Every structure is written in C-alpha cells, then in structure tokens.
Amino acid sequence: MNTPFPTSPESKHPDMAHNEVDPMERVDLPRMSPWVVIVFLVMLGFGYIGLWRWFLRG
Amino acid sequence: MEETQPSWWLIAAYLLLMMSIGIWGRKRVVSVEDMAVAGRNSGVWLIAFSVAATWINGTTLIGISALGADFGLDAYWSGGSFMLATIWIGYFIIPRLWETGVITIPELFGRYFGQRHRTVSLFLVILRDLGVTAGTIGALTVVTTAVLKISVLESLVLWLGVTSAYVFLGGMWAVMVTDAIQFFIILAGSIGLLIAGVAQAGGVSGLRNTFDPALLDIFGRAGVTQVLAWIVIGLAITGSYQGLIQRGFAASSALVARRGFLYGGVIASLWYITPPLIGMIGRTIYGPDLVAEDAFVTLAFGVAGNQFASLIIVCVLAASMSTLSSTINTIASNFTLDLYARFVEPTASTVKQLWVYRINVLIVAGLAALIYSALPLLIELMWIGGRIMGASVAPALIGLVLFPSVRKAPTTVMAAMLIGGGIQAFWQTFGAIREVSSVVIIWDLDPILIGLPITIGILLIGTHIETRQSEDELATAA
C-alpha cells in the first residue's frame, strides 16, 4: 500500500547513493516562482472584489 | 420565521439520497486505501466539485454572511483567500504529495523525519480537524434546533448519524460523490437566495441607491492589517488542510490531482463572494438593528416561501455535511494509520484494518458530538486550532515539498513546528484584541502575523545551519 522511499536521515539506508529517487522529485515544479504566483492570485482576488464594487456602485 | 413550515419531505429525500450513495459505494471499499483515498482512482471533476464543497460549510454560509453584514466586501477575504490558496497548492504542492503515495500528512512527516515528527504533526493536525468537526456540527445544531424545532440531541443524532453512516459504508468514494451533489445543492440554495434578496431590495438599481457606501470599501471597517491577516490565514491553513489534501491523493494521477484542485479552487473562488453579498443585502433590507449572525437566516425566511425556505435548509445541511464527512473520514484515517497501525496492531489483516477504520469513523463522530456538548463555543476555538496548525505544520509541509534541503533538516522542522505552534498559541491567549464582532475577533495584530513569520524564519535559518553542518561532517568523513 505504501511506497518505500528511504530518504529520511533516520532511514535504515543512510547511504544516499543507494537510495531511490525521492518521489517528490519525479514532478518538476512549474517554472513560475511560487511566491510571485501568490502575489498574482491575491491581486486577482482584489480585482474580483473591485469588479463587484464597480458593479454595485453603478 | 415562525410562520415558515419546512418541508420534512424534502429534507428526508435529501438524507435518503446521501444514504443510498453510501450503500451503493460500500462494494467499492475493500481496503483502508479505498476508505481513505477512494482507491486513488478519481477523475478531475469529481475532485474539483468535492474540493469546492469541502470548503463550504454552515459556518461559511452563516458566518461569512454575518461578516458581510458587518464588514461589507472585505468579508470576501475571510473565505476567498482559502480558495485562492487551493489553486496555489494545487499548482505547486499537491502533485508532489501525490507522488509520495502517502495517505495522511503525519505519515509523510514520519517517512521523511521519523516517528517523533509523525507524532507531533499528528497532534497538530488532529487539533485542527477535530475542532472543525465539532464546530461544524455545532453550527448546524444551532441553526436546525432554531429552524426545525428539534432538540440538540436529535440534531446531533440525525445529522452526525446520517453523515457517519455513509462515510462508514462508502468511505472517501461516498464522501466525494456526495460532495459533488452537495455542491450543486449549495449553489442552487445560495444563488437562489441572493437573487431573491436582490429582488426584495428593489433590484440592482434599488440596492445601488440604498447600500451603505462603507460596505463597498476595499479596506473598510476590518482595516488593512486584518484583511492582510485573513489572506495569510487562508494561505497558511490551506497549506496543510489534510481533509482537502486527501482529495488530491484520491486522484488517478498527479496531473489529475493538479487539475482537480485548480478547477475546484477557481469555482469556489468565484462563489465565495455570495455569502458576503447575502449579508450586505440583509443589512440593507433590515437595517442596522439586524444582528449580523442572523443575516443569512433572516433573509432566507424573510424573502422565501415555504418550499424555497426548505431548499435553503437543505442547502445548509449539504454545506455542513460535506465538511463533516471530510473531516470525519480524514481523522478516522489518522486514528487508523497513525495510531492503530503504529501502536496497536501493525500486522493486522486487510479485513481487520478496514473494520477498525469503520469503527473509527463512528468514534470520531461520537467525539465531535461530545466535544461540542462540552465546549459549545468551539466554533470560535476551531479557528484557534487552525491558526496553530497554520503556523506550524503548514510552513513545514510547504518547505518540505518545495525545498529538498528542508527534507534533510529534521531538527529544524521539529523546532519550527513546536516553537511556531507554541508562539502562536501564546499570542492567541495574550494578544491584544481590538474588537469582538458577532462571529470573529478583530486583533490589534492578528496572531498569525506573529507566529507564521517566526516559523518561516526558523525554517530558513535552521535549514541553512543544519544542512551545512551535515555537509561539513560528510567532508570530514571523506
């Protein structure tokens, strides 16, 4: 059920050279910076509220 | 409100539909993995609607409507930030977590850092999830005892009973399918109420003429720092919301998980303006004397006929039960995999594990009822548990996923979780409060703005020192 990935320092296989590839590294992170995307999403949120503000003010 | 006669037929039909999905789903469940993550075989849209429904509960409808009545458009951030964070974790975090093959967040910490990390993260995750479960059933009980004239005991037995029954039978599969149906019920009820409210207020032009302009300010009564805090809380809590993240684990691939979270996050982000608008319309129609937390129910019963009012009740039930089923299932997975499988019987057969899991579903439901009965103010406390988790487990988890160096720094991660969580708890106890509104506390400086930067600072500096030490030791040994 659980896939083994003995990369932990407390692993029984401290020799990192013989470990499997860390499963997280099978997925590349998107090229965009995560922190820039957070700022972008927050700006989008303000834009969305701004649209409602504009609509409700008439 | 007294004149409204809710349709028990509609409520019964809804409950029967939920139960029948549980009964139908029981044949799909043959292992703990089926119970916890639906056999890792779910598609994009099932995940998307399930993600959206999980984020909407009774507290959302009533609480954020109340915030809308008090704070206007600012109230969007108290929930909308969680939805934007859902898009973000779907893009950056969920696919990598999916690849690890874990079922629970503590299991992930255990695999990378050892059993002590698993135990600490388990405590912090459960602290939040049990609070949410008890808070959600509490909010639902407050509403249904008032509207349906049933006792507290009847409410707990009925709603928790039906929810835990379909989770007991169909596990995560039933949770996700019922979530998808519940999402459309929530959509119908809330959008219908919004339209009825606008009509009652004299249409859009009537509203424009009568809205209090302060309700339309971008940084109105809540102020810049509180809006910023709501944004930070949303990002932090979502980062380690296990009940949500497990939807990603239920996907058939990492790509499906990513797309499910993106679509669900976008849909929910757009929807989340609905409760603040309902609150603002309630305030406009009923004036300053309206108690903010009554805005949703007052508007629902003020503008709706009996059948529509019944749909609103079913909408509140659907919103609450979608969250309850998620948290009950996720805590049961913690009890089974992080406690029973580790400490009681690690070699239990598949059949026995499954039965233990199902019994844990019932135990969690009972615990939630007990906690709510003992501490009815837990609706407030669930945010405290959320903030503590958001300032401890969440940054550690995000660091673990984004930065390989953090995976080699077990002492730093432990220190960050303990010190960050501790400082957060301390500040929440002794921090200065500016205002206690009807549903939230407005702080001079929200505790999350203290706890989270400290945790991030510990992670940054500690990882740098710890990994450099390790490299030095390796170089010396060579």
Side-chain angles (χ1 to χ4, degrees), chain B residues 3-8 10-11 61 147-148 184-200 274 278 281 286 295-317:
Chain B
E3 293 166 5
T4 305
Q5 298 295 320
S7 166
W8 275 99
L10 193 64
I11 294 167
L61 294 172
V147 173
L148 298 175
F184 287 101
I185 295 172
I186 295 165
L187 212 59
S190 57
I191 303 285
L193 179 57
L194 190 62
I195 293 168
V198 171
Q200 178 85 357
T274 309
I278 288 172
I281 292 169
Y286 300 105
F296 183 88
V297 176
T298 305
L299 188 67
F301 287 87
V303 302
N306 283 348
Q307 292 306 318
F308 184 58
S310 300
L311 176 64
I312 301 292
I313 293 168
V314 172
C315 171
V316 174
L317 282 178

Side-chain angles (χ1 to χ4, degrees), chain B residues 399-425:
Chain B
L400 176 71
V401 174
L402 294 182
F403 305 106
S405 56
V406 173
R407 295 171 215 158
K408 296 171 189 163
T411 308
T412 298
V413 170
M414 177 63 88
M417 288 197 293
L418 290 177
I419 297 172
I423 287 173
Q424 182 69 28

Side-chain angles (χ1 to χ4, degrees), chain B residues 51 85 113 134 140 159 173 233 242 297 313 315 389 391 412 445 449:
Chain B
V51 162
F113 302 120
L140 186 56
W159 317 132
W173 189 84
I233 289 169
Q242 189 184 228
V297 176
I313 293 168
C315 171
M389 186 196 72
T412 298
L445 187 60
L449 296 179

Side-chain angles (χ1 to χ4, degrees), chain B residues 338-376:
Chain B
D338 298 314
L339 291 176
Y340 178 82
R342 279 175 66 197
F343 299 115
V344 183
E345 197 174 358
T347 56
S349 68
T350 304
V351 174
K352 191 167 183 183
Q353 285 178 12
L354 186 57
W355 274 105
V356 168
Y357 195 120
R358 283 182 158 147
I359 290 165
N360 280 333
V361 166
L362 303 180
I363 289 173
V364 173
L367 262 179
L370 273 178
I371 292 171
Y372 170 65
S373 303
L375 298 162

Side-chain angles (χ1 to χ4, degrees), chain A residues 2-3 5 8 22 25 48, chain B residues 100 111-113 216 270 407:
Chain A
N2 298 327
T3 53
F5 51 108
S8 157
D22 187 332
E25 298 305 318
Y48 183 52
Chain B
T100 65
R111 283 193 179 184
Y112 276 98
F113 302 120
L216 298 176
L270 294 174
R407 295 171 215 158

